[in-house]
Amino acid sequence: MIQLVSFYIFASIVIASAAMVIFARNPVHSVLWLIVAFFNAAGLMVLIGAEFIAMLLVIVYVGAVAVLFLFVVMMLDIDFAELRAGFVKNVPLGLLLAVVLAAELVLGIGAYQAGAVALGTPEAGAATVSAAVPNIEAIGGLLYSKYVFMFETAGLILLVAMVGAIVLTHRKSHGTRGQSISSQVQRRPEDATRNVNQPVGQGIEL
Amino acid sequence: MELNASLSLVRPEIILSFSALALLLLAAWKDQAGRLISILAVAALGAAAAFTASALGSGASAPAFDGLMVNDAFGNFSKLLIYIAAAVSLTIAPRFLEKAGAMRAEYPVLIVLSCIGMGIMVSATDLISLYIGLELQSLSAYVLASFVRSDGRSAEAGLKYFVLGGLASGMLLFGASLVYGFAGSTSFAAIGLAMDKEVGLGLIFGIVFILSGLAFKISAAPFHMWTPDVYEGAPTPVTAFFASAPKVAAIALLMRVVLEAFGSQVLVWQQIIIAVALMSIIIGAVGAIGQQNLKRLMAYSSINNVGFILIGLATGTEQGIAAMLVYLTIYVAMTLGGFVCLMQLKDKDGNYREEFADIAGLSKTRPALAAAFAIFMFSLAGIPPLFGFWGKLVVFNAAVAAGLLPLAVIGIAASVIGAFYYLKVVKVMYFDDAADVIADSDDKVLVWTGGILAAANSPLGYFAIPVLGVWTAVAAKALF
């Protein structure tokens, strides 16, 4: 019962916030609505027992993708009114796309009605997961045993991405003053200060 | 225990990973250490090559990581070729990059990282390891292409390569997901078993997409459009690298996928490979005719050569695979030699020249360079006394033995068209009036590398045939 109720709550919020993504006038609001949609989609995933995908949605989509969107939208000063200006001109193209999408929907529903596609069955040796193991644990078990080498290599790919980004964008500019830790540490009080017996009325020497 | 056994089978990759990390740290501590790190990177590649060679000598074949990868003679032979090609492209680079103001420590580090990816590619026996290896190699390659970022052409090459390479990866992944869905497994062996039973439309779609993605990576027509632009724009040592090591890796990967995963249904992919081979040969030959830039010319020559190599794959026989490996080995020597010669074309102000007009009458001013260049061109054209002829001969032999006579005949006809532009280079160098723009080369490394490669491509190369024949036969056996 509680599951049914939460399903309807999550599902209706997903649909409503997805509609708001389109209808919101302010692009920043659109992105915020998108984040709401992602959160509720994660709730739906928890309901069907896919905790891992739920966490992935929150961490990857909300934490990284949507926030990145937000940054892009806020940093690029896009005039959306200007973008919408060509609406009438682009109506035929938009209608054409709508027709194509509608046809795809009809085809998709037709294919669904026609019955399941015969997918391949895993060979006998494939690892079967017992229902008692939560799927995060099952994925972790595989990731750190069979796929450990691939997992580490994926780390190397990220390293390449990082090195690449630095190689292609980092510039040594001459105007900046970098920190030299060793000379900071080596500096003694007597290098930096001096004691002066200042006579009165003479003025100071800088 | 199982993990230890697996780790000992990927020893070359582990050596290279740790060296790459150590070199990166060294680069962070020491400024302007590009040359030192290049030397250390070559040493690391040498160590990895030594382990690979010892494994190749034992000839054993063992699966690692529960069937994700395999350590066999085929993979080890390809790895050896890749490491040598990468070491050569590291050795020839410093002068060129210093002139461009880009001899930074990341160049050797990225090449070593890309070699790890290529090592995984050639020993992958699972769609997951295939993709991880391919992506590690490609991502390093995108950065290398735009390494000289002050040069607009280099930046353009990197961007083009990145966008089109991303598209190809997408196609490959889409195909992989279809194959996984319809075969029920990502492992090559299990896909092979599933295909033994029946091949549905979904599976064929998947195969077509995987082959398209890989055809892009080996720059085979009709997925070759990026090649001339990227080869022209990338710094010449990087182009030499692109034309040799990654090509070996991607072709070896293609061979393993096609034979181990789809091997039970030869007819499904044979037509595709034949079509791609023919298109590459013809487009490579015809497209090169109008080129004025020598780097673009080499790009079309590499498309052309990939076509010839694919003829061996189209046979689907052990003889064909051995022939491909022979051709690949010779091709690496030819193309590296060609680029080493190109890099010696410097004018008196030290600027690099790469146009046809610059090499006019080169035989009068730089006879040795012109002779070496001529050897590589004749060898690429496959003209008999030179070593390049042998590669074409074994591939066509395999095609005829497998009953693909028409394919062999068209291939030979197209290689005659291709000979035209190779000979044009020789004609311009030997019979045109001297343009006298090319100065004496002051880079002894290039002179020596060029000399050694020219000797390997000269008829002297035939002394290598017994060794090469035995090794390629052992390597080809591992796939069947």
Side-chain angles (χ1 to χ4, degrees), chain B residues 311 315 317 319-320 393-405 408:
Chain B
I311 288 183
T315 64
T317 60
Q319 191 195 356
L393 180 71
V394 288
V395 167
F396 287 134
N397 246 343
V400 172
L404 297 174
L405 194 60

Side-chain angles (χ1 to χ4, degrees), chain B residues 310-398:
Chain B
L310 287 180
I311 288 183
L313 186 57
T315 64
T317 60
E318 207 175 306
Q319 191 195 356
I321 298 302
M324 281 174 87
L325 290 172
V326 171
Y327 197 121
L328 259 181
T329 315
I330 299 173
Y331 165 75
V332 165
M334 294 188 293
T335 197
L336 279 176
F339 280 108
V340 166
C341 286
L342 266 180
M343 284 174 63
Q344 293 184 49
L345 301 179
K346 265 183 0 179
D347 62 16
K348 290 170 187 72
D349 304 326
N351 297 317
Y352 289 92
R353 308 299 286 257
E354 50 197 42
E355 299 288 327
F356 249 112
D358 302 326
I359 59 165
L362 193 65
S363 65
K364 283 147 202 130
T365 48
R366 296 281 312 278
L369 179 60
F373 219 157
I375 285 181
F376 295 125
M377 288 299 137
F378 278 126
S379 193
L380 279 165
I383 288 170
L386 295 159
F387 202 27
F389 165 69
W390 182 254
K392 286 205 168 68
L393 180 71
V394 288
V395 167
F396 287 134
N397 246 343

Side-chain angles (χ1 to χ4, degrees), chain B residues 421-440:
Chain B
Y421 64 85
Y422 294 125
L423 294 181
K424 190 173 149 200
V425 176
V426 177
K427 175 240 168 200
V428 169
M429 283 192 305
Y430 277 86
F431 301 110
D432 280 11
D433 292 334
D436 204 17
V437 283
I438 305 301
D440 278 347

Side-chain angles (χ1 to χ4, degrees), chain A residues 119-120 122 146 150 167-168 170, chain B residues 68 104 106 146 149 181-182 184:
Chain A
L119 289 180
K146 180 179 175 182
M150 295 298 118
V167 165
L168 296 182
H170 179 69
Chain B
L68 281 178
R104 279 169 297 159
E106 287 87 355
S146 47
R149 60 182 185 197
F182 286 97

Side-chain angles (χ1 to χ4, degrees), chain B residues 8-12 47-62 70-77 79-80 471 474:
Chain B
S8 73
L9 290 175
V10 291
R11 222 176 275 145
F51 273 110
T52 316
S54 72
L56 180 64
S58 74
S61 166
V70 69
N71 185 330
D72 62 1
F74 176 77
N76 285 323
F77 182 82
K79 271 189 214 174
L80 210 55
W471 280 17
V474 171

